[in-house]
Amino acid sequence: MKLQKTALIAGASGLVGSQLLPLLLASDRYAKVIAVGRRPVPMVHPKLEQRVLDMDQLEQHRLSLIADDVFCCLGTTMRQAGSKEAFYKVDYLYVVKLAALTAANFAAQFMVVSAMGADADSRFYYNKVKGEMEDTVRQAPFRAIHIFRPSLLLGERAEKRAGEQVGAVLLRVLNPLLVGPLRKYRAVSAATVAQSMLRAAEDDGGGIKVHLSDEIAAGRIWRR
């Protein structure tokens, strides 16, 4: 009999995380799903264990972060964070701390949501931080690391972002026109990203794989 695994998800209240959590709970792969965050998610399930904690004190909760597969859906925007320092804390420090601690706890796989254009050498601060995060996460000793780089995410957020709402409407209209090399700029639904993250984990492969937005939208997730 195949032993069921434990999944850990950080950012379960966000756009992608809120789509991913029900998929993890419904999956036969997992006997337990640990949701980590600064506030609880409004959900009750026999598989679900919630760890409400201060992300600034993540190291103190290391023994609560034991899992086979780790799904990191943490992320904010410059406007929402309020400053470069606050943005850096959420999109870099929290992510790399989670990776380091769960790797030290012998987690096998790490799935993380990044962004299209992530590049540590970028002139744009958002893309630069995402690129630095990816570079650091790549150094963690997981058996497999999956980095997801979606374009603009479509879906209903708990907190409305006016700019993203306008951009989403425009991209819905433009999506059919974005072909060839422009296909990677097509908007992708948060639900599709969540499904892709679970499929990547189910593959149980090894190595480091970057999943680009058009590949995610098309369902072309790495298989052994």
PDB file of all heavy atoms in Angstrom, residues 23-48:
ATOM      1  N   LEU A  23      -7.764  21.600  -3.806  1.00  0.00           N
ATOM      2  CA  LEU A  23      -7.213  20.526  -4.631  1.00  0.00           C
ATOM      3  C   LEU A  23      -6.332  19.597  -3.795  1.00  0.00           C
ATOM      4  O   LEU A  23      -6.381  18.367  -3.966  1.00  0.00           O
ATOM      5  CB  LEU A  23      -6.380  21.108  -5.782  1.00  0.00           C
ATOM      6  CG  LEU A  23      -7.107  21.995  -6.786  1.00  0.00           C
ATOM      7  CD1 LEU A  23      -6.138  22.483  -7.860  1.00  0.00           C
ATOM      8  CD2 LEU A  23      -8.269  21.253  -7.429  1.00  0.00           C
ATOM      9  N   LEU A  24      -5.543  20.173  -2.905  1.00  0.00           N
ATOM     10  CA  LEU A  24      -4.690  19.362  -2.039  1.00  0.00           C
ATOM     11  C   LEU A  24      -5.535  18.506  -1.106  1.00  0.00           C
ATOM     12  O   LEU A  24      -5.235  17.315  -0.878  1.00  0.00           O
ATOM     13  CB  LEU A  24      -3.757  20.254  -1.226  1.00  0.00           C
ATOM     14  CG  LEU A  24      -2.778  21.128  -2.001  1.00  0.00           C
ATOM     15  CD1 LEU A  24      -1.967  21.999  -1.040  1.00  0.00           C
ATOM     16  CD2 LEU A  24      -1.848  20.287  -2.867  1.00  0.00           C
ATOM     17  N   LEU A  25      -6.588  19.093  -0.564  1.00  0.00           N
ATOM     18  CA  LEU A  25      -7.453  18.361   0.354  1.00  0.00           C
ATOM     19  C   LEU A  25      -8.203  17.236  -0.353  1.00  0.00           C
ATOM     20  O   LEU A  25      -8.478  16.186   0.248  1.00  0.00           O
ATOM     21  CB  LEU A  25      -8.448  19.319   1.011  1.00  0.00           C
ATOM     22  CG  LEU A  25      -7.845  20.349   1.975  1.00  0.00           C
ATOM     23  CD1 LEU A  25      -8.888  21.390   2.369  1.00  0.00           C
ATOM     24  CD2 LEU A  25      -7.270  19.674   3.205  1.00  0.00           C
ATOM     25  N   ALA A  26      -8.509  17.414  -1.620  1.00  0.00           N
ATOM     26  CA  ALA A  26      -9.242  16.402  -2.385  1.00  0.00           C
ATOM     27  C   ALA A  26      -8.331  15.318  -2.948  1.00  0.00           C
ATOM     28  O   ALA A  26      -8.807  14.256  -3.366  1.00  0.00           O
ATOM     29  CB  ALA A  26     -10.009  17.070  -3.527  1.00  0.00           C
ATOM     30  N   SER A  27      -7.029  15.572  -2.952  1.00  0.00           N
ATOM     31  CA  SER A  27      -6.090  14.639  -3.571  1.00  0.00           C
ATOM     32  C   SER A  27      -5.857  13.403  -2.702  1.00  0.00           C
ATOM     33  O   SER A  27      -5.614  13.503  -1.501  1.00  0.00           O
ATOM     34  CB  SER A  27      -4.749  15.345  -3.824  1.00  0.00           C
ATOM     35  OG  SER A  27      -3.776  14.418  -4.274  1.00  0.00           O
ATOM     36  N   ASP A  28      -5.879  12.229  -3.334  1.00  0.00           N
ATOM     37  CA  ASP A  28      -5.576  10.985  -2.631  1.00  0.00           C
ATOM     38  C   ASP A  28      -4.095  10.887  -2.262  1.00  0.00           C
ATOM     39  O   ASP A  28      -3.712  10.020  -1.485  1.00  0.00           O
ATOM     40  CB  ASP A  28      -5.952   9.785  -3.506  1.00  0.00           C
ATOM     41  CG  ASP A  28      -7.457   9.654  -3.693  1.00  0.00           C
ATOM     42  OD1 ASP A  28      -8.197  10.163  -2.826  1.00  0.00           O
ATOM     43  OD2 ASP A  28      -7.881   9.058  -4.697  1.00  0.00           O
ATOM     44  N   ARG A  29      -3.293  11.765  -2.833  1.00  0.00           N
ATOM     45  CA  ARG A  29      -1.857  11.746  -2.559  1.00  0.00           C
ATOM     46  C   ARG A  29      -1.556  12.137  -1.108  1.00  0.00           C
ATOM     47  O   ARG A  29      -0.577  11.662  -0.527  1.00  0.00           O
ATOM     48  CB  ARG A  29      -1.156  12.720  -3.514  1.00  0.00           C
ATOM     49  CG  ARG A  29       0.354  12.846  -3.293  1.00  0.00           C
ATOM     50  CD  ARG A  29       0.937  13.835  -4.308  1.00  0.00           C
ATOM     51  NE  ARG A  29       2.362  14.072  -4.083  1.00  0.00           N
ATOM     52  CZ  ARG A  29       3.340  13.299  -4.537  1.00  0.00           C
ATOM     53  NH1 ARG A  29       3.055  12.215  -5.242  1.00  0.00           N
ATOM     54  NH2 ARG A  29       4.605  13.593  -4.295  1.00  0.00           N
ATOM     55  N   TYR A  30      -2.416  12.991  -0.524  1.00  0.00           N
ATOM     56  CA  TYR A  30      -2.115  13.564   0.781  1.00  0.00           C
ATOM     57  C   TYR A  30      -3.072  13.084   1.870  1.00  0.00           C
ATOM     58  O   TYR A  30      -4.287  13.157   1.722  1.00  0.00           O
ATOM     59  CB  TYR A  30      -2.147  15.088   0.712  1.00  0.00           C
ATOM     60  CG  TYR A  30      -1.172  15.623  -0.309  1.00  0.00           C
ATOM     61  CD1 TYR A  30      -1.620  16.238  -1.481  1.00  0.00           C
ATOM     62  CD2 TYR A  30       0.203  15.470  -0.138  1.00  0.00           C
ATOM     63  CE1 TYR A  30      -0.719  16.699  -2.439  1.00  0.00           C
ATOM     64  CE2 TYR A  30       1.112  15.923  -1.085  1.00  0.00           C
ATOM     65  CZ  TYR A  30       0.640  16.539  -2.230  1.00  0.00           C
ATOM     66  OH  TYR A  30       1.525  16.986  -3.184  1.00  0.00           O
ATOM     67  N   ALA A  31      -2.488  12.630   2.973  1.00  0.00           N
ATOM     68  CA  ALA A  31      -3.268  12.271   4.152  1.00  0.00           C
ATOM     69  C   ALA A  31      -3.446  13.472   5.061  1.00  0.00           C
ATOM     70  O   ALA A  31      -4.377  13.523   5.869  1.00  0.00           O
ATOM     71  CB  ALA A  31      -2.569  11.149   4.912  1.00  0.00           C
ATOM     72  N   LYS A  32      -2.538  14.448   4.919  1.00  0.00           N
ATOM     73  CA  LYS A  32      -2.598  15.647   5.753  1.00  0.00           C
ATOM     74  C   LYS A  32      -2.141  16.851   4.947  1.00  0.00           C
ATOM     75  O   LYS A  32      -1.207  16.755   4.152  1.00  0.00           O
ATOM     76  CB  LYS A  32      -1.702  15.474   6.990  1.00  0.00           C
ATOM     77  CG  LYS A  32      -1.691  16.675   7.915  1.00  0.00           C
ATOM     78  CD  LYS A  32      -1.071  16.334   9.273  1.00  0.00           C
ATOM     79  CE  LYS A  32       0.409  16.045   9.186  1.00  0.00           C
ATOM     80  NZ  LYS A  32       1.021  15.850  10.516  1.00  0.00           N
ATOM     81  N   VAL A  33      -2.814  17.976   5.172  1.00  0.00           N
ATOM     82  CA  VAL A  33      -2.448  19.233   4.522  1.00  0.00           C
ATOM     83  C   VAL A  33      -2.282  20.288   5.617  1.00  0.00           C
ATOM     84  O   VAL A  33      -3.218  20.555   6.376  1.00  0.00           O
ATOM     85  CB  VAL A  33      -3.519  19.691   3.508  1.00  0.00           C
ATOM     86  CG1 VAL A  33      -3.118  21.035   2.892  1.00  0.00           C
ATOM     87  CG2 VAL A  33      -3.709  18.641   2.416  1.00  0.00           C
ATOM     88  N   ILE A  34      -1.094  20.859   5.685  1.00  0.00           N
ATOM     89  CA  ILE A  34      -0.795  21.891   6.674  1.00  0.00           C
ATOM     90  C   ILE A  34      -0.850  23.255   5.994  1.00  0.00           C
ATOM     91  O   ILE A  34      -0.134  23.490   5.018  1.00  0.00           O
ATOM     92  CB  ILE A  34       0.597  21.682   7.289  1.00  0.00           C
ATOM     93  CG1 ILE A  34       0.685  20.305   7.963  1.00  0.00           C
ATOM     94  CG2 ILE A  34       0.930  22.787   8.277  1.00  0.00           C
ATOM     95  CD1 ILE A  34       2.097  19.920   8.380  1.00  0.00           C
ATOM     96  N   ALA A  35      -1.700  24.144   6.497  1.00  0.00           N
ATOM     97  CA  ALA A  35      -1.789  25.506   5.964  1.00  0.00           C
ATOM     98  C   ALA A  35      -1.099  26.451   6.941  1.00  0.00           C
ATOM     99  O   ALA A  35      -1.467  26.515   8.120  1.00  0.00           O
ATOM    100  CB  ALA A  35      -3.240  25.917   5.764  1.00  0.00           C
ATOM    101  N   VAL A  36      -0.095  27.161   6.436  1.00  0.00           N
ATOM    102  CA  VAL A  36       0.705  28.062   7.258  1.00  0.00           C
ATOM    103  C   VAL A  36       0.399  29.505   6.872  1.00  0.00           C
ATOM    104  O   VAL A  36       0.417  29.851   5.680  1.00  0.00           O
ATOM    105  CB  VAL A  36       2.211  27.790   7.064  1.00  0.00           C
ATOM    106  CG1 VAL A  36       3.052  28.799   7.824  1.00  0.00           C
ATOM    107  CG2 VAL A  36       2.543  26.376   7.517  1.00  0.00           C
ATOM    108  N   GLY A  37       0.141  30.351   7.849  1.00  0.00           N
ATOM    109  CA  GLY A  37      -0.119  31.757   7.544  1.00  0.00           C
ATOM    110  C   GLY A  37      -0.364  32.571   8.794  1.00  0.00           C
ATOM    111  O   GLY A  37      -0.475  32.025   9.899  1.00  0.00           O
ATOM    112  N   ARG A  38      -0.454  33.874   8.600  1.00  0.00           N
ATOM    113  CA  ARG A  38      -0.647  34.762   9.757  1.00  0.00           C
ATOM    114  C   ARG A  38      -2.106  34.850  10.178  1.00  0.00           C
ATOM    115  O   ARG A  38      -2.410  35.417  11.233  1.00  0.00           O
ATOM    116  CB  ARG A  38      -0.099  36.156   9.451  1.00  0.00           C
ATOM    117  CG  ARG A  38      -0.672  36.832   8.236  1.00  0.00           C
ATOM    118  CD  ARG A  38       0.086  38.122   7.910  1.00  0.00           C
ATOM    119  NE  ARG A  38      -0.394  38.730   6.671  1.00  0.00           N
ATOM    120  CZ  ARG A  38      -1.393  39.595   6.606  1.00  0.00           C
ATOM    121  NH1 ARG A  38      -2.032  39.937   7.717  1.00  0.00           N
ATOM    122  NH2 ARG A  38      -1.763  40.116   5.451  1.00  0.00           N
ATOM    123  N   ARG A  39      -2.998  34.307   9.364  1.00  0.00           N
ATOM    124  CA  ARG A  39      -4.397  34.223   9.778  1.00  0.00           C
ATOM    125  C   ARG A  39      -4.990  32.922   9.244  1.00  0.00           C
ATOM    126  O   ARG A  39      -4.555  32.411   8.206  1.00  0.00           O
ATOM    127  CB  ARG A  39      -5.198  35.427   9.268  1.00  0.00           C
ATOM    128  CG  ARG A  39      -5.206  35.616   7.772  1.00  0.00           C
ATOM    129  CD  ARG A  39      -6.085  36.816   7.395  1.00  0.00           C
ATOM    130  NE  ARG A  39      -6.094  37.021   5.952  1.00  0.00           N
ATOM    131  CZ  ARG A  39      -5.277  37.851   5.324  1.00  0.00           C
ATOM    132  NH1 ARG A  39      -4.375  38.543   6.008  1.00  0.00           N
ATOM    133  NH2 ARG A  39      -5.345  38.006   4.001  1.00  0.00           N
ATOM    134  N   PRO A  40      -5.987  32.366   9.935  1.00  0.00           N
ATOM    135  CA  PRO A  40      -6.557  31.097   9.494  1.00  0.00           C
ATOM    136  C   PRO A  40      -7.407  31.254   8.230  1.00  0.00           C
ATOM    137  O   PRO A  40      -7.914  32.334   7.955  1.00  0.00           O
ATOM    138  CB  PRO A  40      -7.430  30.667  10.683  1.00  0.00           C
ATOM    139  CG  PRO A  40      -7.803  31.954  11.351  1.00  0.00           C
ATOM    140  CD  PRO A  40      -6.605  32.856  11.176  1.00  0.00           C
ATOM    141  N   VAL A  41      -7.506  30.180   7.477  1.00  0.00           N
ATOM    142  CA  VAL A  41      -8.407  30.187   6.326  1.00  0.00           C
ATOM    143  C   VAL A  41      -9.767  29.688   6.800  1.00  0.00           C
ATOM    144  O   VAL A  41      -9.855  28.832   7.685  1.00  0.00           O
ATOM    145  CB  VAL A  41      -7.863  29.299   5.180  1.00  0.00           C
ATOM    146  CG1 VAL A  41      -6.585  29.881   4.622  1.00  0.00           C
ATOM    147  CG2 VAL A  41      -7.631  27.868   5.644  1.00  0.00           C
ATOM    148  N   PRO A  42     -10.860  30.222   6.241  1.00  0.00           N
ATOM    149  CA  PRO A  42     -12.202  29.840   6.700  1.00  0.00           C
ATOM    150  C   PRO A  42     -12.636  28.498   6.124  1.00  0.00           C
ATOM    151  O   PRO A  42     -13.546  28.411   5.302  1.00  0.00           O
ATOM    152  CB  PRO A  42     -13.076  30.992   6.180  1.00  0.00           C
ATOM    153  CG  PRO A  42     -12.373  31.450   4.934  1.00  0.00           C
ATOM    154  CD  PRO A  42     -10.900  31.288   5.214  1.00  0.00           C
ATOM    155  N   MET A  43     -11.977  27.454   6.560  1.00  0.00           N
ATOM    156  CA  MET A  43     -12.272  26.130   6.030  1.00  0.00           C
ATOM    157  C   MET A  43     -12.015  25.089   7.114  1.00  0.00           C
ATOM    158  O   MET A  43     -11.057  25.200   7.884  1.00  0.00           O
ATOM    159  CB  MET A  43     -11.388  25.852   4.805  1.00  0.00           C
ATOM    160  CG  MET A  43     -11.643  24.501   4.140  1.00  0.00           C
ATOM    161  SD  MET A  43     -10.565  24.248   2.698  1.00  0.00           S
ATOM    162  CE  MET A  43     -11.187  25.507   1.579  1.00  0.00           C
ATOM    163  N   VAL A  44     -12.885  24.094   7.157  1.00  0.00           N
ATOM    164  CA  VAL A  44     -12.717  22.966   8.068  1.00  0.00           C
ATOM    165  C   VAL A  44     -12.723  21.692   7.232  1.00  0.00           C
ATOM    166  O   VAL A  44     -13.588  21.504   6.372  1.00  0.00           O
ATOM    167  CB  VAL A  44     -13.846  22.914   9.127  1.00  0.00           C
ATOM    168  CG1 VAL A  44     -13.696  21.678   9.998  1.00  0.00           C
ATOM    169  CG2 VAL A  44     -13.855  24.177   9.962  1.00  0.00           C
ATOM    170  N   HIS A  45     -11.736  20.833   7.468  1.00  0.00           N
ATOM    171  CA  HIS A  45     -11.621  19.586   6.717  1.00  0.00           C
ATOM    172  C   HIS A  45     -10.837  18.605   7.575  1.00  0.00           C
ATOM    173  O   HIS A  45      -9.900  19.015   8.278  1.00  0.00           O
ATOM    174  CB  HIS A  45     -10.895  19.837   5.386  1.00  0.00           C
ATOM    175  CG  HIS A  45     -10.962  18.693   4.431  1.00  0.00           C
ATOM    176  ND1 HIS A  45     -10.140  17.581   4.541  1.00  0.00           N
ATOM    177  CD2 HIS A  45     -11.745  18.482   3.330  1.00  0.00           C
ATOM    178  CE1 HIS A  45     -10.417  16.745   3.556  1.00  0.00           C
ATOM    179  NE2 HIS A  45     -11.380  17.261   2.814  1.00  0.00           N
ATOM    180  N   PRO A  46     -11.205  17.318   7.551  1.00  0.00           N
ATOM    181  CA  PRO A  46     -10.485  16.344   8.399  1.00  0.00           C
ATOM    182  C   PRO A  46      -8.990  16.228   8.087  1.00  0.00           C
ATOM    183  O   PRO A  46      -8.214  15.858   8.978  1.00  0.00           O
ATOM    184  CB  PRO A  46     -11.216  15.023   8.123  1.00  0.00           C
ATOM    185  CG  PRO A  46     -12.021  15.249   6.884  1.00  0.00           C
ATOM    186  CD  PRO A  46     -12.347  16.701   6.859  1.00  0.00           C
ATOM    187  N   LYS A  47      -8.579  16.566   6.870  1.00  0.00           N
ATOM    188  CA  LYS A  47      -7.158  16.504   6.517  1.00  0.00           C
ATOM    189  C   LYS A  47      -6.405  17.768   6.908  1.00  0.00           C
ATOM    190  O   LYS A  47      -5.172  17.760   6.965  1.00  0.00           O
ATOM    191  CB  LYS A  47      -6.986  16.326   4.996  1.00  0.00           C
ATOM    192  CG  LYS A  47      -7.309  14.974   4.437  1.00  0.00           C
ATOM    193  CD  LYS A  47      -6.915  14.987   2.950  1.00  0.00           C
ATOM    194  CE  LYS A  47      -7.287  13.701   2.255  1.00  0.00           C
ATOM    195  NZ  LYS A  47      -6.874  13.759   0.828  1.00  0.00           N
ATOM    196  N   LEU A  48      -7.132  18.860   7.137  1.00  0.00           N
ATOM    197  CA  LEU A  48      -6.503  20.172   7.255  1.00  0.00           C
ATOM    198  C   LEU A  48      -6.030  20.462   8.679  1.00  0.00           C
ATOM    199  O   LEU A  48      -6.793  20.343   9.636  1.00  0.00           O
ATOM    200  CB  LEU A  48      -7.487  21.253   6.817  1.00  0.00           C
ATOM    201  CG  LEU A  48      -6.992  22.709   6.889  1.00  0.00           C
ATOM    202  CD1 LEU A  48      -5.795  22.927   5.970  1.00  0.00           C
ATOM    203  CD2 LEU A  48      -8.126  23.666   6.525  1.00  0.00           C
TER     204      LEU A  48
END
